[in-house]
Amino acid sequence: MIKKEEFQDEIGDNHFSLSAKNPIRDDAFAISDDEKIEKIKKDVENILLTLGMDLTDDSLKGTPNRVAKMFVKEIFGGLNPNKKPKASTFDNNYKYGEMLVEKNIIVYSTCEHHLLPIIGRAHVAYISNGRVIGLSKMNRIVEYYAKRPQVQERLTMQIVQELQIALGTEDVACVIDAKHLCVNSRGISDIESSTVTSEFGGKFKDPQSRREFLDYIKMETKF
Ligand SMILES: [Zn+2]
């Protein structure tokens, strides 16, 4: 069984800790993923029945099971600490001392207020203080924290904090620009608006580094 502390206190060798935490209960991992799927299946069934849907219809028969599996294994799969990507780092042998930016990382997340999709792009940067991380690991960290019921502000902070822990430096930044379907497809139904959040750690608080990072994000990638 996974203990709550394992989920929350992700403290690395450098004693940074993840302070932006998802609100989860103590017994969040008391039952297995398969048991969760069984329970959620019944719940989805109940929602559809209450709405008046005929679950014997061929098209709807499999829906409760599909939704339950999708919740546990896919869109909320990042709640499970076992799915956390190993953020292995390497010595910066080539002594590259400038910022590294991984931009246009696609974000698929879910708004925890409406359980509707958040879709956008994350741009992540760090300045190495001796350690470097595999490029795709940054995508995987974004993906892991995105696959939870989320608010965009928390997601942005979690990505930065995770990389600060992995790299042992404060010098990490993240900007996310995303559309929230709870704004775009219902309520105010504004399909054009998007939400930008940012977190700047260490040297990125310095206006010049911040400017440089934002300029790289705007650069058009031609190949
Ligand atoms: Zn929402």
Side-chain angles (χ1 to χ4, degrees), residues 11-174:
I11 298 175
D13 300 337
N14 302 287
H15 306 288
F16 295 104
S17 69
L18 210 57
S19 59
K21 292 166 184 165
N22 296 77
I24 63 154
R25 292 196 323 271
D26 283 332
D27 62 348
F29 305 105
I31 61 170
S32 70
D33 279 3
D34 286 343
E35 288 170 297
K36 285 181 186 180
I37 290 171
E38 269 316 300
K39 278 169 79 88
I40 294 172
K41 190 175 147 183
K42 298 268 174 339
D43 297 330
V44 175
E45 225 169 70
N46 209 17
I47 291 172
L48 291 171
L49 285 172
T50 305
L51 288 170
M53 306 306 291
D54 175 7
L55 293 188
T56 63
D57 189 276
D58 252 4
S59 168
L60 285 176
K61 244 186 350 219
T63 302
N65 192 46
R66 262 193 302 272
V67 173
K69 267 168 79 178
M70 176 185 73
F71 272 22
V72 175
K73 301 271 188 199
E74 295 179 73
I75 66 173
F76 301 137
L79 285 170
N80 188 336
N82 293 330
K83 299 245 181 87
K84 186 172 168 168
K86 279 240 173 317
S88 27
T89 57
F90 312 92
D91 281 329
N92 180 11
N93 286 329
Y94 27 87
K95 303 279 176 255
Y96 176 72
E98 298 297 325
M99 77 177 63
L100 183 147
V101 182
E102 181 79 355
K103 61 181 194 172
N104 292 318
I105 300 171
I106 297 297
V107 172
Y108 289 111
S109 192
T110 306
C111 145
E112 70 184 20
H113 303 132
H114 300 91
L115 299 187
L116 282 172
I118 300 171
I119 307 162
R121 285 162 195 265
H123 314 283
V124 181
Y126 73 91
I127 301 167
S128 172
N129 77 345
R131 301 295 290 169
V132 291
I133 192 164
L135 296 178
S136 68
K137 283 284 155 22
M138 295 155 83
N139 300 59
R140 293 201 187 285
I141 288 169
V142 170
E143 187 189 28
Y144 172 66
Y145 286 105
K147 289 189 168 176
R148 297 176 174 190
Q150 274 292 15
V151 294
Q152 190 176 321
E153 298 91 320
R154 184 198 298 126
L155 174 61
T156 311
M157 292 166 72
Q158 285 173 330
I159 293 163
V160 167
Q161 290 171 7
E162 182 64 39
L163 280 163
Q164 286 175 328
I165 293 168
L167 289 160
T169 176
E170 295 270 0
D171 306 335
V172 180
C174 176

Side-chain angles (χ1 to χ4, degrees), residues 209-222:
S209 298
R210 185 184 294 219
R211 182 76 266 149
E212 186 183 335
F213 172 39
L214 298 177
D215 284 346
Y216 290 141
I217 294 176
K218 277 190 293 191
M219 258 168 54
E220 207 187 322
T221 310
K222 291 207 176 92

